[in-house]
Amino acid sequence: MELKTDFTLDAKGLACPMPIVKTKKTIKDLEAGQVLEIQATDKGSKADLQAWAKSSGHQYLGTIEEDDVLKHYVRKASDEEEQDKEHPNVVSNEDLETVRLGEDSLLLDVRETAEYAFEHIPEAHSIPLGELDERIEELDRTKNVYVVCRTGSRSDLAAQKLTDKGFENVYNVVPGMSGWSGETKSLNQ
């Protein structure tokens, strides 16, 4: 799976605290929800970026090591936690856990590909929200569609879109991956 990012920051050869300093400057220019790839060679940058992302409210997605380069992925914070949910059919993570393996269930993950790659529910089909209109025919209209994102906001928008396009049994999963404690997979598995 190709990890789609919105911007790549070259911090190779820089020692602490410079990867964080450059990341702070770069992420200011990104829009909420965009994914930044930070390429670094400083082995301490993983712990530094994890701690910085957590303290600043951004989402640390994960790190891939290729040769001597650490590729860190951070998603810029958005206000999605505060957005009102409008889709009427909502299920909890616990409800999803009981139905996700059913033959009549389709689990749709609408997070960005980098978010999905680092952690997703094994049965989930990945279509980022921004690609849903053009890829909607990949989905089986006869199934119960359970839509998941990080907090339930993007999945709410996706559930509304699917309903508007004629899907009959669509459910928004709340709180989504931010509260998921069930089985997950990642690109390392």
Side-chain angles (χ1 to χ4, degrees):
M1 164 180 284
E2 177 187 342
L3 295 184
K4 293 180 184 173
T5 59
D6 298 290
F7 193 83
T8 300
L9 170 64
D10 184 352
K12 296 186 292 274
L14 301 177
C16 182
M18 290 312 295
I20 297 294
V21 170
K22 290 187 101 169
T23 298
K24 284 180 184 179
K25 285 182 179 180
T26 302
I27 209 159
K28 277 196 257 181
D29 295 330
L30 297 180
E31 293 179 28
Q34 288 189 315
V35 177
L36 173 64
E37 176 183 311
I38 303 109
Q39 297 179 354
T41 50
D42 179 3
K43 297 295 182 193
S45 63
K46 180 176 182 181
D48 293 345
L49 279 165
Q50 282 179 317
W52 171 79
K54 184 175 183 179
S55 69
S56 62
H58 300 297
Q59 182 184 5
Y60 172 82
L61 301 176
T63 299
I64 298 173
E65 188 167 355
E66 291 182 358
D67 300 319
D68 292 332
V69 178
L70 298 169
K71 294 181 176 182
H72 309 287
Y73 297 88
V74 176
R75 182 173 176 266
K76 185 172 180 175
S78 66
D79 63 351
E80 68 182 37
E81 286 81 9
E82 288 82 39
Q83 292 177 354
D84 289 334
K85 316 256 185 314
E86 296 180 13
H87 189 71
N89 300 331
V90 177
V91 298
S92 68
N93 286 2
E94 293 77 19
D95 293 335
L96 178 63
E97 182 65 53
T98 64
V99 299
R100 71 184 174 104
L101 298 175
E103 287 185 27
D104 63 341
S105 297
L106 171 67
L107 178 54
L108 174 63
D109 190 322
V110 295
R111 296 175 301 150
E112 296 300 318
T113 57
E115 293 175 276
Y116 178 86
F118 284 105
E119 181 182 42
H120 62 271
I121 300 168
E123 299 78 27
H125 183 76
S126 174
I127 300 179
L129 180 60
E131 299 175 15
L132 187 57
D133 286 332
E134 63 207 36
R135 296 179 58 194
I136 203 163
E137 294 309 316
E138 294 177 25
L139 304 175
D140 185 343
R141 292 175 182 270
T142 66
K143 298 204 174 198
N144 296 319
V145 181
Y146 297 90
V147 189
V148 67
C149 69
R150 189 169 73 91
T151 63
S153 292
R154 283 178 280 174
S155 56
D156 181 73
L157 294 172
Q160 291 176 55
K161 269 187 187 203
L162 292 172
T163 300
D164 290 347
K165 299 280 186 182
F167 284 76
E168 293 182 15
N169 300 307
V170 181
Y171 303 91
N172 182 20
V173 180
V174 176
M177 294 305 292
S178 64
W180 181 256
S181 60
E183 180 184 3
T184 61
K185 286 181 69 176
S186 71
L187 58 94
N188 298 330
Q189 296 175 318

